[in-house]
Amino acid sequence: MNAAATQAVDVDAPLVDVDAHVVVCPTRWSDVDENGHINNARLVSYVQEGIYDLCCHHPVAVRESLFPSGFLIARHEIDYLEQLYHRPEPLLVRLTVARLGRSSAHVVVKVCRDANTFMRARTVVVARDAVSGRSRTLSPSERRFLSGFLADDAAPVVPPRVAFAAPRGSLSAASSGHHPARRRLSNPAALTRGVPVIPDGRRVR
């Protein structure tokens, strides 16, 4: 896997999202396929390197020990925009958050060089629970961290569920036919289809 380095964002440079996390990612000769350009599978790995850098190597993520049990890649939606060729100049992988849910973040990743965007991906990243290995609710610190990368056109943030004590008399109200509305939960299995990744880079089998 290529070594990735976090780079400060220059707001005067082209194609830069002010709220983006930017990772410098070089290409390698071994990334080139028989057609002479960077293989599409390698482009996906640049996306995953960017997400790993954001969640595990960002100074705030390290200082506050965010995502201690890693994360799950639940979904990739990818648009290949242009053919990418191996050159000495590194790629810039730019990440912003398009939507922040209760347990997941929809991350938009753009793989760029100079003024060109070669690939755009929308990836669903889910916080992983250490015990079950499945999705869990984002912690307040993780939500605050990810909120810093919300794009200007991001969807409204989904608030976390808040537990509260039932008011006195609620049981009698329910028995009289006044039932509080119930929210149907989405299928949690749909958020755990992917390879779990923990901060030291190992994959969980």
Side-chain angles (χ1 to χ4, degrees), residues 49-130:
E49 286 183 25
I51 293 173
Y52 180 83
D53 189 83
L54 173 65
C55 295
C56 301
H57 289 169
H58 190 283
V60 175
V62 173
R63 183 175 66 249
E64 300 187 11
S65 300
L66 305 182
F67 304 100
S69 300
F71 55 88
L72 301 164
I73 300 295
R75 182 181 179 85
H76 278 311
E77 293 182 8
I78 299 173
D79 294 314
Y80 297 100
L81 305 175
E82 292 189 40
Q83 291 187 356
L84 175 63
Y85 296 92
H86 175 59
R87 279 171 37 187
E89 297 83 6
L91 300 170
L92 296 182
V93 181
R94 309 183 188 281
L95 300 91
T96 56
V97 176
R99 181 180 182 274
L100 192 56
R102 294 186 177 89
S103 63
S104 64
H106 292 235
V107 181
V108 175
V109 186
K110 297 178 182 179
V111 178
C112 311
R113 181 191 280 149
D114 300 328
N116 299 313
T117 300
F118 297 92
M119 185 181 74
R120 180 175 55 248
R122 186 182 178 100
T123 299
V124 179
V125 181
V126 182
R128 177 179 177 272
D129 178 72

